[in-house]
Amino acid sequence: MTKSGDPQAAGDRVISRDRSPAGEPNGAGESSGHACCAPAATRRVPGTNAEATAPSDTDVDSAARHEEPAPGEALGEIRGSTPAAFAGFAFDFVSAGGDFDMGDPYGDGHPADGEGPRHRVSLSAFAIATTSVTNDDFARFVADTGFTTTAERLGTSAVFAMLLESNPQAHSHVLGQAPGVPWWVEVSGAHWAAPEGPGSSIEGRGDHPVVQISWDDAQAYCAWSETRLPTEAEWECAARGGLKGRRYPWGNRLLVDGQWNCNIWQGDFPRTNTLDDGFIGTAPARHYEPNGLGVFNTVGNVWEWCADWFERDYYRRSPQTDPQGPETGEKRVMRGGSFLCHDSYCNRYRVAARSSNTPDSSASNIGFRVVRDIDSV
């Protein structure tokens, strides 16, 4: 699956950074919050997300002790316009909805993430794209509309530092590091078509998820494509794939027959990635087996924006039918984790896991997928 010269696919190499970054998780269980997974808007130099201040201490091996069930239990100005070019839209949609139990049944999440209480949710039928939006998909949107993303307008975005090892030219464009999380750097000129900054491109990665996308950018794409972002409840319902109360879309065991089912970090975060799954960055949007609904890569790979504002305690007052999230907020929900998640630091590659970021934030591991109301499919 690797491609020569693709900074996202590193083959058999072990990628190692020979230093101990400040702010790394310590024995007291402290961390820099979500910053291993997605920094806050880099306009302020990529930093931490104060909503969560400690990693989960979940032992991945403990997941194997649970019985496996059977399946089934603000817009930028754009020109042009209509989805005329949308006739070539490559997405497949699958139907989802109905009743399910939302939230973490095991207590795996950190309290500040608000993964509980577990509660029953009833959703109207909707259709969700089987993959996240890819580079090819987003390129068609930009070609049709001339849209300029948040990162392009502001001139910088957050790049995972280890990705720059395959793009030496970008080193001269590094503007700074996040205090305490130096694996995130602010790179001048990094955006969706040059995700690691000047000198990088998406050539050979057309089928990878588009990254360096803000919530505002995702909204613009949805307006063009006559789609919308999923609500947080819709996202979790679809990600579960018909399994009741499991950690992952495929069950409770992270590895099945010794095989990886998602693109996350292997090794010692953030120093060494053993690349057991073959990827230092994103994997193709259809690389792993889909879940029981036919939806690909809902955990790992890239964080996916949801429509909802984030509130830690929202589940305590969430309506049972078609919850839409809080009416106001400062950050938007992100779901699914990314290629940077690791159980020692960011155990958020579970279907119940939650995160958030400001709507203008973009980074090497933030993308999105879309949904449609069932009567528009």
Side-chain angles (χ1 to χ4, degrees), residues 327-341:
E327 292 184 2
T328 61
E330 295 181 356
K331 298 175 182 178
R332 296 286 184 174
V333 171
M334 300 189 305
R335 285 299 206 113
S338 81
F339 60 83
L340 292 178
C341 282

Side-chain angles (χ1 to χ4, degrees), residues 8-371:
Q8 298 291 313
D12 296 330
R13 293 181 296 118
V14 173
I15 304 297
S16 180
R17 185 170 296 283
D18 231 353
R19 59 188 173 84
S20 179
E24 191 174 355
N26 59 32
E30 295 176 352
S31 81
S32 299
H34 293 186
C36 65
C37 299
T42 59
R43 277 45 77 183
R44 297 176 290 280
V45 178
T48 62
N49 183 337
E51 293 292 348
T53 55
S56 168
D57 59 358
T58 299
D59 178 1
V60 173
D61 291 339
S62 69
R65 294 197 289 269
H66 293 276
E67 182 181 357
E68 294 290 324
E73 294 245 4
L75 298 183
E77 184 178 352
I78 60 178
R79 68 168 190 265
S81 72
T82 67
F86 200 58
F89 197 46
F91 285 160
D92 294 323
F93 286 85
V94 294
S95 297
D99 297 342
F100 79 106
D101 293 324
M102 184 173 182
D104 171 26
Y106 302 117
D108 290 339
H110 189 268
D113 287 351
E115 293 182 25
R118 194 179 183 200
H119 56 292
R120 194 70 171 169
V121 172
S122 179
L123 295 176
S124 300
F126 63 98
I128 188 164
T130 57
T131 72
S132 54
V133 173
T134 66
N135 285 314
D136 282 347
D137 297 321
F138 202 78
R140 283 191 287 271
F141 160 59
V142 171
D144 187 51
T145 64
F147 182 76
T148 302
T149 61
T150 301
E152 290 172 285
R153 292 196 305 272
L154 298 177
T156 68
S157 197
V159 176
F160 177 55
M162 199 173 282
L163 297 180
L164 298 182
E165 294 178 11
S166 298
N167 180 25
Q169 183 177 337
H171 282 282
S172 62
H173 296 267
V174 172
L175 302 180
Q177 297 176 325
V181 282
W183 49 88
W184 281 115
V185 294
E186 183 181 8
V187 177
S188 175
H191 59 87
W192 75 274
E196 292 82 47
S200 68
S201 78
I202 55 173
E203 183 177 356
R205 286 186 268 172
D207 60 348
H208 286 233
V210 66
V211 294
Q212 301 292 8
I213 298 297
S214 71
W215 187 90
D216 297 327
D217 299 335
Q219 286 289 89
Y221 182 94
C222 288
W224 170 78
S225 61
E226 295 183 348
T227 59
R228 59 180 176 83
L229 290 175
T231 65
E232 183 176 16
E234 288 173 334
W235 187 96
E236 184 169 326
C237 176
R240 290 189 174 279
L243 293 182
K244 183 178 181 180
R246 302 297 91 182
R247 282 187 171 91
Y248 311 114
W250 56 87
N252 266 335
R253 295 178 177 86
L254 180 58
L255 297 181
V256 178
D257 296 328
Q259 299 298 310
W260 290 95
N261 300 284
C262 63
N263 178 18
I264 56 175
W265 187 275
Q266 296 94 40
D268 177 20
F269 183 86
R271 293 189 189 93
T272 304
N273 191 339
T274 60
L275 303 176
D276 293 347
D277 60 7
F279 299 98
I280 179 128
T282 60
R286 294 176 179 267
H287 182 72
Y288 299 92
E289 290 295 318
N291 68 12
L293 286 178
V295 182
F296 292 84
N297 295 7
T298 53
V299 297
N301 219 20
V302 297
W303 284 102
E304 297 182 359
W305 289 111
C306 292
D308 311 37
W309 289 109
F310 177 85
E311 181 184 298
R312 184 189 65 180
D313 297 325
Y314 179 68
Y315 287 2
R316 299 187 182 280
R317 59 180 179 82
S318 173
Q320 180 175 345
T321 303
D322 292 329
Q324 304 293 308
E327 292 184 2
T328 61
E330 295 181 356
K331 298 175 182 178
R332 296 286 184 174
V333 171
M334 300 189 305
R335 285 299 206 113
S338 81
F339 60 83
L340 292 178
C341 282
H342 185 269
D343 66 293
S344 70
Y345 190 65
C346 175
N347 184 29
R348 296 184 178 93
Y349 48 91
R350 297 168 290 106
V351 289
R354 311 174 72 213
S355 186
S356 63
N357 220 325
T358 55
D360 62 343
S361 292
S362 56
S364 297
N365 61 348
I366 302 180
F368 68 110
R369 80 175 65 215
V370 299
V371 300

